[in-house]
Amino acid sequence: MGIVRSVLLAGSESRWLRERAPRYGFVRNAVSRFMPGETVEAALEATRSLGVGTVLTQLGENVRDLEQARGVTRHYLDVLDRVHRGGLDVEVSIKLTQLGLDLSREECEKNLLALIEHARALSNWVWIDMEGTAYTDVTLDIARRVRAGNPNVGVCVQAYLYRTTEDIRSLIALGSGIRLVKGAYREPPDKAFPKKSDVDENYFRLAERLLSGDSRAKHVRAIFGTHDPVLIRRIEELARSSNLPPEALEFQMLFGIRRQEQERIAKAGYRFRVLISYGGAWFPWYMRRLAERPANVLFVVKNLFAR
Ligand SMILES: Cc1cc2nc3c(=O)[nH]c(=O)nc-3n(C[C@H](O)[C@H](O)[C@H](O)COP(=O)(O)OP(=O)(O)OC[C@H]3O[C@@H](n4cnc5c(N)ncnc54)[C@H](O)[C@@H]3O)c2cc1C
């Protein structure tokens, strides 16, 4: 892992920075490139103007009391109702530590099930984000349990982890929704490929699994969550050579990243969504975005000098 990436990811875990950085206007201005606003209204407005389906996620992780977790659950129930009433093509994606996982697994599962069941009644989906490796086992375990009774749930898996090859096998067998990403956290070399080229190659191997006959026979809803143009081309070619129509592929990208590629993908007939984050607790999430592309730090510095 590069030194700058490593420092930024360490910064994402710093409470001291988390409490101070958001006070500065130039940091907030820089963040607005990746986030249309802190409120759900801003995210819904962005959905309308983008004109494509979106996935909404309220930023926040590791809540410290169960009432907060219940508040987050109520918030997402309300979001599901609002998008249903508004006829918008919007799904939601949540972090289990935001639903109280650190405090009570039982309560967390209860909150998650309330969301999934409500989404199901409204013909909508719930996605489960994947956090750092301290949570991989429990997240997959909960994802498998809730999937057993509900077809409208999917979980994110990270190509940088060695274990994902096995995890994907069991998720495909269950017919679960699967969102494949590279992975955004700081992980040690005994758990994650340290070299980016190995992560990229593993991503492609896992994509092959997700487009395989097995996966299609199980009606797996497979999402490719990446902005990597080389990988996207390879996946497109793989689909073409397997005679899959464009609508058999689903890509998702983050709001504000590689907008031209987003337009190209949407126009090419693939299924496509933009993941929009909102909320006040953006510091660790923003640091992970900086770590993905350390050149983004220059953008923060430019904002410091902009009037
Ligand atoms: C829909 C979606 C959901 C995600 N959910 C999770 C999750 O639950 N858990 C998790 O660990 N990670 C998640 N991620 C983040 C993911 O793990 C990667 O960190 C992130 O997508 C960057 O990797 P990449 O595949 O785009 O490839 P990279 O090789 O990092 O980037 C490819 C190119 O995309 C552009 N790019 C990428 N990131 C940035 C950026 N921050 N700023 C500007 N340009 C950029 C650059 O041009 C870069 O060259 C998610 C990503 C997406 C798109």
Side-chain angles (χ1 to χ4, degrees), residues 47-261:
T47 298
R48 287 186 199 96
S49 48
L50 283 170
V52 293
T54 59
V55 181
L56 299 195
T57 192
Q58 188 195 31
L59 295 169
E61 43 207 86
N62 304 100
V63 296
R64 301 227 194 107
D65 68 72
L66 286 173
E67 193 36 47
Q68 228 184 322
R70 283 182 214 114
V72 172
T73 311
R74 284 193 295 274
H75 171 81
Y76 279 118
L77 289 171
D78 182 52
V79 172
L80 288 167
D81 281 334
R82 288 174 73 159
V83 300
H84 182 70
R85 279 199 304 272
L88 294 170
D89 184 10
V90 175
E91 298 176 348
V92 295
S93 195
I94 46 98
K95 287 192 174 21
L96 293 185
T97 65
Q98 203 185 10
L99 295 185
L101 182 60
D102 291 328
L103 307 158
S104 156
R105 175 178 168 156
E106 203 185 335
E107 283 280 323
C108 169
E109 253 185 82
K110 204 167 107 195
N111 290 335
L112 177 65
L113 267 175
L115 291 178
I116 294 170
E117 281 163 11
H118 194 58
R120 191 175 178 184
L122 301 175
S123 307
N124 206 333
W125 271 65
V126 172
W127 290 92
I128 303 172
D129 288 356
M130 187 55 78
E131 302 179 62
T133 43
Y135 299 103
T136 315
D137 271 326
V138 65
T139 301
L140 290 175
D141 198 35
I142 292 177
R144 288 189 192 100
R145 279 163 58 95
V146 295
R147 166 71 208 181
N150 298 286
N152 61 322
V153 58
V155 63
C156 181
V157 292
Q158 298 154 323
Y160 65 13
L161 298 184
Y162 306 122
R163 60 174 289 166
T164 300
T165 308
E166 273 312 307
D167 292 336
I168 241 180
R169 200 188 306 274
S170 69
L171 290 168
I172 289 176
L174 273 182
S176 169
I178 301 173
R179 179 174 79 209
L180 178 62
V181 303
K182 289 189 187 174
Y185 294 81
R186 187 162 59 130
E187 301 296 354
D190 61 318
K191 296 202 165 108
F193 293 100
K195 272 173 61 189
K196 183 173 168 358
S197 55
D198 291 334
V199 177
D200 294 353
E201 203 44 41
N202 198 41
Y203 192 108
F204 186 68
R205 296 280 154 259
L206 296 167
E208 286 180 316
R209 297 292 320 281
L210 289 176
L211 292 179
S212 67
D214 280 3
S215 170
R216 279 181 284 131
K218 288 281 183 184
H219 305 290
V220 166
R221 182 171 166 204
I223 310 288
F224 301 106
T226 181
H227 317 89
D228 185 330
V230 176
L231 269 175
I232 293 172
R233 291 286 137 79
R234 288 181 77 189
I235 293 168
E236 289 179 284
E237 273 162 28
L238 173 66
R240 266 195 298 274
S241 64
S242 315
N243 291 321
L244 294 174
E247 59 276 16
L249 289 190
E250 183 163 0
F251 292 100
Q252 290 183 4
M253 297 189 195
L254 303 180
F255 179 87
I257 298 184
R258 295 188 60 93
R259 289 178 196 218
Q260 280 186 348
E261 181 71 351

Side-chain angles (χ1 to χ4, degrees), residues 258-274:
R258 295 188 60 93
R259 289 178 196 218
Q260 280 186 348
E261 181 71 351
Q262 297 196 3
E263 280 174 29
R264 184 189 75 80
I265 295 278
K267 283 194 188 132
Y270 301 115
R271 286 184 288 151
F272 176 66
R273 284 177 189 274
V274 175

Side-chain angles (χ1 to χ4, degrees), residues 4-5 7-9 26-27 30 33-34 286-305:
V4 181
R5 177 161 193 261
V7 169
L8 290 166
L9 287 179
F26 74 94
V27 180
R33 180 183 171 195
F34 297 116
Y286 182 59
M287 292 297 276
R288 292 197 289 270
R289 300 295 78 82
L290 292 183
E292 281 156 5
R293 192 161 176 262
N296 287 342
V297 175
L298 288 178
F299 189 75
V300 183
V301 176
K302 269 192 216 149
N303 269 281
L304 174 60
F305 296 107

